[in-house]
Amino acid sequence: MEEKHSNLFIGPDDKIGNGEASLLGLQHVLAMDVYVPPVILAMMLSMSFSEKMGLLQVAFLAAGIGTIIQTAVFMKMPISQGPSFVPLTAASGIVLASGGLQKGMATLLGALIVGAILLILLGISGVFYKIIQTLVPALVGGTIITCVGLSLIPTALNSNIFQASGNINQNIILAGITAVTLLISISISIHFPSLQRIFRTGAIIIALLAGTVAATMMGRFDWSTVKQAAWFSLPQGTVFHYGITFSPTAILTFIIIYAILTTETTGTWFAMGAVTNHQITNKQWNRGLIGEGISCLIAALLGSTPVTGYSTNAGIISITGVASKRVFISAGIWFIVLGFFTKISAFLSAIPAPVIGGVFAIICVTIMLNGLRVIRNLQEKDGDIYVIGIPIVLTFALVLIPTTVVKEAPQMVQYLLGSPIAVAAMVAIILNLVVSTGKNK
């Protein structure tokens, strides 16, 4: 199938130099916020500084290996893996309920390993593409992409800017500087096409650099964690350290978590297909799920929570116009480097959240608009308005739902309430089967 990517500056298989690929790969790493989930989990488990850095280290390594194998071997699309927020509550609950960090991590890793193997087996069975083909036509896929973008916007604004640590006025200023720098870079690339190679492809890294300089001038860059971190260290906290324990309750819990993560990853793949104008093949669906399972298995063996496809990167491609697989492989290499050179990873994790938020908010909007673009190109059928509208309403509802309501719900329901994308996807699938009068091509 010949693909058109006229909206891209550099297509998935276009040639790009090693130096440029390395720099643009770092751009993806900087914009992905991969360090946040392991830091949150470390706080939930009251880990020491060295244990927290060890968890961050293995998360980077797992993300790097997963990114490379998905992009180069299995999915063969520009896909980047990273630790998901969804399993954090379940992971901390299992660890704390299983006798503390040493015994609890062994129980958690056992559940993660079993769940990952089940994903691999499902991909090998060849059934996954049939599920997607039957339940997720273009209308549902476009709706899921839209909900992915919508669900991330409040995180970009609240967690990274309005509710982030520090003075809120400074947070807004830092986010504004970063966002305006990004828009100026894009504007320069539009009005001066000869400068696209610099200002479009490097727009995000330029914006993050500007935000970081501003944060340093405001005294908002925290150097203490950078000073404490070692320059180089080998992975800590792997299965060789904690061991493996199999608990039926923990395994059942994470089978459900993996089902939710697979739904989210499907949305990410749809989003990436939309921005690269690529129709995902049946073979890619199955191989992608195998790659997802192997990525999660590697993460578990390293001592990390599952690494899954990150939707952020689809937005980055929309902004920069660069979809080269070599860039994503470079991003994977950067993650592996950061996993060993802990001083560098500590430096990147010290970049203030508002700086990331200024870029992240715009990335989220581009993901949402790509979903709407998919929907706009379809022939409208009776009932489609509900297939699109209800999941969007539910996405907003679950993003805004009070935490007290979530905590009062049964544990399994809490996992769903914590994943607006999964709920929106399931509702879109059900509504398409019930109320839509025809298939959307």
Side-chain angles (χ1 to χ4, degrees):
M1 174 179 175
E2 186 177 345
E3 296 172 32
K4 298 177 181 179
H5 43 78
S6 56
N7 60 322
L8 298 177
F9 188 63
I10 299 174
D13 296 307
D14 291 349
K15 292 183 179 180
I16 184 172
N18 291 334
E20 188 175 8
S22 178
L23 183 62
L24 296 179
L26 178 60
Q27 181 170 245
H28 280 271
V29 170
L30 290 172
M32 282 178 65
D33 254 8
V34 166
Y35 62 87
V36 176
V39 168
I40 291 174
L41 182 59
M43 291 172 60
M44 296 170 79
L45 298 177
S46 300
M47 286 183 167
S48 66
F49 176 78
S50 61
E51 289 170 335
K52 180 177 76 172
M53 290 307 298
L55 190 60
L56 181 64
Q57 179 182 23
V58 294
F60 277 131
L61 289 172
I65 296 169
T67 296
I68 292 171
I69 65 173
Q70 275 290 59
T71 301
V73 181
F74 289 99
M75 196 69 182
K76 292 189 176 179
M77 283 177 63
I79 298 291
S80 189
Q81 303 289 107
S84 171
F85 288 86
V86 173
L88 297 183
T89 303
S92 64
I94 287 172
V95 171
L96 295 175
S98 302
L101 192 61
Q102 183 67 41
K103 293 182 179 179
M105 282 298 292
T107 303
L108 173 62
L109 297 181
L112 292 174
I113 289 169
V114 172
I117 291 172
L118 290 177
L119 283 187
I120 296 169
L121 294 176
L122 180 60
I124 292 173
S125 72
V127 174
F128 188 58
Y129 91 87
K130 295 179 181 178
I131 297 173
I132 298 298
Q133 199 173 55
T134 304
L135 299 180
V136 191
L139 175 69
V140 175
T143 302
I144 293 172
I145 297 168
T146 303
C147 292
V148 168
L150 285 173
S151 69
L152 293 173
I153 291 173
T155 300
L157 297 176
N158 282 330
S159 301
N160 285 30
I161 302 172
F162 301 134
Q163 297 174 5
S165 60
N167 182 282
I168 187 171
N169 294 322
Q170 285 188 346
N171 290 352
I172 293 171
I173 291 170
L174 284 174
I177 289 171
T178 309
V180 169
T181 303
L182 176 62
L183 295 175
I184 290 173
S185 297
I186 295 297
S187 180
I188 291 173
S189 73
I190 291 172
H191 292 289
F192 302 96
S194 61
L195 299 177
Q196 274 195 347
R197 201 81 184 184
I198 298 174
F199 286 97
R200 185 180 180 189
T201 61
I204 291 172
I205 201 166
I206 292 170
L208 291 174
L209 283 172
T212 301
V213 169
T216 303
M217 293 174 66
M218 291 181 182
R220 291 289 302 274
F221 195 94
D222 182 12
W223 287 98
S224 60
T225 55
V226 181
K227 291 177 181 177
Q228 291 180 57
W231 277 103
F232 177 86
S233 62
L234 295 174
Q236 304 294 319
T238 66
V239 290
F240 298 106
H241 175 74
Y242 292 116
I244 303 174
T245 301
F246 296 107
S247 163
T249 303
I251 290 170
L252 178 60
T253 298
F254 263 90
I255 287 174
I256 295 171
I257 294 291
Y258 273 115
I260 295 170
L261 291 175
T262 301
T263 307
E264 288 200 337
T265 299
T266 300
T268 296
W269 293 346
F270 271 119
M272 193 59 75
V275 299
T276 58
N277 297 308
H278 171 71
Q279 182 68 41
I280 301 173
T281 66
N282 297 340
K283 186 177 181 181
Q284 279 181 303
W285 284 115
N286 291 324
R287 289 176 64 89
L289 190 62
I290 295 170
E292 185 88 351
I294 292 175
S295 296
C296 292
L297 180 60
I298 291 170
L301 294 174
L302 286 171
S304 173
T305 52
V307 290
T308 63
Y310 255 46
S311 53
T312 306
N313 304 89
I316 297 171
I317 288 176
S318 290
I319 292 171
T320 63
V322 179
S324 171
K325 287 185 283 188
R326 293 191 66 181
V327 168
F328 279 73
I329 292 171
S330 295
I333 294 171
W334 271 112
F335 279 131
I336 293 172
V337 168
L338 293 174
F340 288 105
F341 289 89
T342 46
K343 182 79 76 175
I344 302 174
S345 63
F347 174 81
L348 294 180
S349 64
I351 297 174
V355 175
I356 303 292
V359 168
F360 193 28
I362 297 175
I363 289 172
C364 298
V365 170
T366 63
I367 295 171
M368 179 192 71
L369 293 177
N370 275 294
L372 294 175
R373 181 186 297 167
V374 172
I375 296 169
R376 183 187 63 190
N377 293 331
L378 301 174
Q379 183 179 355
E380 188 176 343
K381 304 288 185 181
D382 292 339
D384 285 0
I385 190 171
Y386 302 104
V387 178
I388 300 166
I390 301 300
I392 288 175
V393 171
L394 283 173
T395 299
F396 275 120
L398 294 182
V399 165
L400 300 174
I401 190 170
T403 53
T404 52
V405 176
V406 177
K407 289 179 180 178
E408 291 172 358
Q411 192 65 58
M412 294 302 176
V413 177
Q414 287 186 34
Y415 301 146
L416 278 174
L417 294 179
S419 178
I421 301 169
V423 172
M426 289 186 286
V427 170
I429 289 169
I430 293 169
L431 287 174
N432 183 64
L433 294 173
V434 174
V435 304
S436 186
T437 60
K439 291 184 178 180
N440 298 90
K441 300 291 185 181

